[in-house]
Amino acid sequence: MSGINELIDNEVKTNDVVLFMKGTPQFPQCGFSGQVAQILDYLGVAYKGVNVLADDGLRNGIKDYSNWPTIPQLYVKGEFVGGCDIIREMFQSNELQQHLTEKGVPVKAA
């Protein structure tokens, strides 16, 4: 396993909810990353944002790690959940809230 893969693996396994994104939760640098951050904030989910723009190795590494071509990428309890479109659809259908709750991640009641 390469150093970057270990780093990603460590983030994913040591944080309940991790969002690999462009920019930070406070200052997203792409609309899609911003949308997912907004959804998580709206649900009151505690999560760690990892800025892939800080490191080219990380930006490419996360795509290999998940076998998913785009950023943002959301992980819950070590599992890849999806990118922006999937997260938005899951949120709108209430699936995301259920998924988080089932995984033991508290969400704010709507």
Side-chain angles (χ1 to χ4, degrees):
M1 210 187 238
S2 70
I4 207 76
N5 252 359
E6 278 174 33
L7 180 111
I8 293 167
D9 207 48
N10 184 50
E11 290 291 2
V12 165
K13 290 183 174 146
T14 57
N15 297 285
D16 282 352
V17 184
V18 188
L19 179 61
F20 288 87
M21 62 185 296
K22 293 180 179 174
T24 63
Q26 296 75 27
F27 298 104
Q29 288 178 275
C30 105
F32 300 114
S33 292
Q35 279 184 15
V36 177
Q38 270 183 324
I39 288 170
L40 293 173
D41 290 342
Y42 176 81
L43 294 175
V45 173
Y47 67 97
K48 175 165 188 184
V50 178
N51 182 2
V52 300
L53 296 179
D55 182 332
D56 271 349
L58 180 59
R59 187 166 68 210
N60 295 318
I62 189 65
K63 295 175 185 178
D64 294 338
Y65 182 85
S66 61
N67 209 9
W68 187 260
T70 56
I71 299 186
Q73 295 185 9
L74 183 67
Y75 290 81
V76 175
K77 299 275 185 167
E79 283 181 0
F80 174 58
V81 182
C84 183
D85 291 346
I86 292 171
I87 298 303
R88 196 173 52 226
E89 284 166 23
M90 285 178 73
F91 169 68
Q92 287 166 346
S93 67
N94 219 32
E95 258 182 278
L96 181 63
Q97 295 85 320
Q98 284 175 313
H99 183 73
L100 289 162
T101 306
E102 279 165 16
K103 295 284 180 186
V105 176
V107 292
K108 244 186 347 209

